[in-house]
Amino acid sequence: TMLHFARAAAASGVSVCIFSLEMSAGQLAGRMLVGSSGVDSGAFRTGNVDGSGWTKIEKAGATLSSMPVFLNDRANITMGAIRSQCKAMHRRGKCGMVIIDYLQLLDTSTRNPNTTREREIAAISRSAKLLAKEFDVPVILISQSGAIEQDADMVLFLDRPVMYGRTEIDAGRYGIIPAEGVGLMHITKNREGATGCICFRHNESLTRIADYDDPATDAIGDVGPF
C-alpha cells in the first residue's frame, strides 16, 4: 500500500521521498517494478517470466525511471537527518510527499536516561507533524503502534474480509458484493474531512490496488485486471 501511494503520487507529478528503514532501495524498486508491470509477483521472484512478461517489465522500468521517486535506505536514521534531507530536496522542488517506513525502526538515541520508549515515539510523532507543516507536504508515517493516533491528521485501517473467511461484504452504495479481490479502507479519523469506509479493488498476485468502480490502468497503458 505504501508503494501504491508513492507510485500514484509520482505518476501525477508529485515528487516522493521515501525513507525505508526496513527494506533496501533495491527491494523497494523491485516491488514497485512488479506492481507497475502487471507481472505476477511470485513468477518474478522465481524468474518464471515469459517473453511478454519481460517486455512489460522493461516498459514499466522505463516509466518508473522517469518518475520523481527518491529512495533512502540508510539504517538508524534520525528524524533530524530526515528533516535535513527533506529540506534540501524541498529547496530543489523535489519533496512533495514524504514516506517513512517505519516509525519503530527510527533511531531515537537520547542522552536522557529517564526517557521512555513511549516518550521517544511521541517525540517522533510530533516531529513528523512539524515536518508536514514546515514543508506543507503530506508525511506518511508507517507504524506498528497506536501511539501516534492523537497527533495524526488521518488514521486509516486497511481490511481484506476474505482473509478471515468472508465471502460477501456490505459495500454501502455498491450493495452486497463478493469479498474476493476487494478491500476496505476505513477512515476512522480525518481532521479535514469525513470519516467512513471506501471500497477498493485488490489483486494480490499483481501487488496492485485500484479504485473499485474504475478500471485499473497499469504503467504501460493496458487495462488491468479490474
Side-chain angles (χ1 to χ4, degrees):
T1 303
M2 174 196 75
L3 294 181
H4 175 79
F5 286 160
R7 194 166 60 241
S12 66
V14 175
S15 297
V16 183
C17 296
I18 301 177
F19 296 87
S20 175
L21 290 84
E22 184 176 28
M23 291 188 290
S24 70
Q27 289 174 315
L28 287 174
R31 292 194 176 195
M32 291 185 73
L33 182 62
V34 172
S36 299
S37 67
V39 172
D40 183 273
S41 58
F44 179 79
R45 285 194 297 268
T46 60
N48 187 25
V49 180
D50 60 19
S52 64
W54 285 118
T55 298
K56 290 181 179 180
I57 289 173
E58 290 173 359
K59 290 182 178 179
T63 300
L64 283 174
S65 66
S66 65
M67 285 186 177
V69 177
F70 306 94
L71 303 176
N72 184 311
D73 60 1
R74 176 185 161 193
N76 300 321
I77 195 169
T78 65
M79 280 300 298
I82 288 176
R83 178 188 173 275
S84 295
Q85 293 192 28
C86 287
K87 187 174 183 179
M89 296 296 285
H90 192 263
R91 286 174 176 169
R92 297 161 55 191
K94 295 182 178 180
C95 182
M97 174 187 285
V98 178
I99 300 176
I100 304 172
D101 182 27
Y102 61 91
L103 181 153
Q104 278 76 11
L105 291 180
L106 281 167
D107 184 356
T108 57
S109 301
T110 175
R111 296 179 180 177
N112 186 353
N114 298 318
T115 297
T116 64
R117 182 60 174 167
E118 182 179 358
R119 290 175 180 172
E120 291 174 345
I121 295 298
I124 292 173
S125 177
R126 287 193 298 271
S127 296
K129 189 164 187 176
L130 291 173
L131 183 69
K133 186 174 182 180
E134 180 179 2
F135 301 123
D136 192 25
V137 299
V139 174
I140 300 175
L141 185 59
I142 311 299
S143 173
Q144 296 185 3
S145 166
I148 63 170
E149 180 180 351
Q150 67 178 16
D151 287 331
D153 290 323
M154 295 183 70
V155 177
L156 312 177
F157 292 96
L158 299 180
D159 178 22
R160 291 179 57 206
V162 74
M163 296 299 293
Y164 42 88
R166 295 278 297 279
T167 58
E168 293 182 332
I169 55 175
D170 184 350
R173 64 191 179 98
Y174 300 112
I176 305 298
I177 62 174
E180 184 67 33
V182 174
L184 302 173
M185 178 183 288
H186 300 278
I187 305 174
T188 59
K189 179 181 180 181
N190 188 0
R191 293 189 196 276
E192 302 298 329
T195 57
C197 182
I198 298 173
C199 287
F200 62 88
R201 299 282 189 179
H202 175 265
N203 187 308
E204 184 174 7
S205 67
L206 300 181
T207 61
R208 177 185 296 167
I209 64 176
D211 292 341
Y212 180 79
D213 50 6
D214 290 328
T217 301
D218 67 21
I220 58 175
D222 295 333
V223 175
F226 302 115

